[in-house]
Amino acid sequence: MRFNTYYCAWSIILFLIELYIALHIDDNFIRPYIGDLLVVILIYAIVRAFFKVSIMTAAIGVLIFSFAVEVLQSFKIVEILGLGASQLARTIIGTTFSWEDLVAYSIGIIILLCFEKAIGPYKREWYSIQ
């Protein structure tokens, strides 16, 4: 484990953006697509803030996790866990499977990797941590 202030700061910024989107935007583009695109970047930033993993390992792990949660939505995981009455659980976990979400997650990871490659301060951590 480690603590990285750069990724922690990005986690906080992205969380606040996601919170704003969830509470104040109710449209057919920003909330469903930009919100999903940003959530994978948020999860990645949290992972990199607290765990000593390479850029690529974190990115692939977050993408697999996001895909898994999306697939579990098709099995009504919120109801199976007994959280169907919780608006918070329904918002965070989601309730309906969507192929578009998988595309949004993938685009989010691609954008993230492009930013890490172009301006990321930890380029030596692309495949391994020294």
Side-chain angles (χ1 to χ4, degrees):
M1 287 199 65
R2 71 167 179 188
F3 180 75
N4 185 305
T5 54
Y6 173 80
Y7 289 108
C8 185
W10 275 110
S11 298
I12 293 166
I13 292 166
L14 289 165
F15 175 76
L16 292 174
I17 292 169
E18 286 283 7
L19 189 61
Y20 180 83
I21 290 171
L23 296 176
H24 299 290
I25 298 178
D26 188 20
D27 68 349
N28 293 324
F29 182 74
I30 293 175
R31 186 169 180 156
Y33 299 113
I34 303 301
D36 285 347
L37 184 148
L38 290 176
V39 78
V40 293
I41 300 172
L42 168 61
I43 295 168
Y44 169 87
I46 292 169
V47 168
R48 293 276 292 157
F50 295 103
F51 298 98
K52 194 172 182 178
V53 294
S54 70
I55 291 168
M56 207 52 135
T57 299
I60 291 170
V62 167
L63 188 60
I64 290 169
F65 172 78
S66 301
F67 277 30
V69 170
E70 192 67 29
V71 169
L72 288 172
Q73 289 174 7
S74 69
F75 295 106
K76 308 294 182 203
I77 191 65
V78 172
E79 284 78 17
I80 290 170
L81 295 174
L83 301 171
S86 169
Q87 187 60 39
L88 182 62
R90 295 173 67 77
T91 300
I92 292 173
I93 299 170
T95 56
T96 55
F97 174 83
S98 171
W99 289 104
E100 291 90 359
D101 290 352
L102 300 178
V103 172
Y105 301 149
S106 300
I107 292 170
I109 293 295
I110 291 167
I111 290 170
L112 161 77
L113 292 174
C114 289
F115 271 94
E116 284 283 27
K117 191 77 162 173
I119 62 171
Y122 298 98
K123 292 180 178 137
R124 291 185 319 234
E125 297 181 356
W126 195 257
Y127 293 105
S128 66
I129 305 285
Q130 279 78 25

